[in-house]
Amino acid sequence: MREDPEGSGELCFVVPEHLRGYLPLLRRVLRGSGARVLTDADLVAEVEGA
């Protein structure tokens, strides 16, 4: 999606919007791993804004 054809190599967990309430828990569990946690709606907005 960006100029780097390999992408960022970043691990990303995407959860359904209706489970948004679990984001803080998932972020705590994954803290320090470098992984991102976001909802499907957040991911769509990010892709559309790229």
Side-chain angles (χ1 to χ4, degrees):
M1 290 176 38
R2 295 196 175 106
E3 295 198 19
D4 178 6
E6 297 298 318
S8 66
E10 182 177 74
L11 181 60
C12 183
F13 289 92
V14 180
V15 297
E17 180 64 35
H18 70 275
L19 297 176
R20 178 177 281 282
Y22 287 99
L23 292 182
L25 172 64
L26 291 169
R27 288 179 177 143
R28 275 195 309 273
V29 169
L30 296 169
R31 189 176 315 155
S33 70
R36 294 177 59 209
V37 179
L38 63 163
T39 67
D40 53 355
D42 294 335
L43 179 62
V44 168
E46 190 174 307
V47 168
E48 289 177 343

